[in-house]
Amino acid sequence: MAAKTDEAALGYEQARDELIEVVRRLEAGGTTLEESLALWERGEELAKVCRHWLEGARARLDAALSEGKGEGTSQGEAAEAAED
């Protein structure tokens, strides 16, 4: 259960940097099958953390953009009403 807590505490940049290191080690080779499997599993966990952060960022951007469009429409309608 501590691994889940550690994953949740990782920031995007930390997870990305560790994932880069995991990939580098896997590509370099020279590890045992057990080490390679452990690295692969850690890489999957880190990729999941990165995806979670990116999905959250996308949701925040989408929300901000939709708020901005909604405000722009309201202001535009108010300006048109003031002209009449």
Side-chain angles (χ1 to χ4, degrees), residues 19-36:
L19 180 56
I20 290 168
E21 179 61 21
V22 165
V23 170
R24 186 195 64 72
R25 288 182 60 195
L26 284 169
E27 288 178 341
T31 57
T32 66
L33 178 59
E34 280 298 316
E35 291 169 335
S36 294

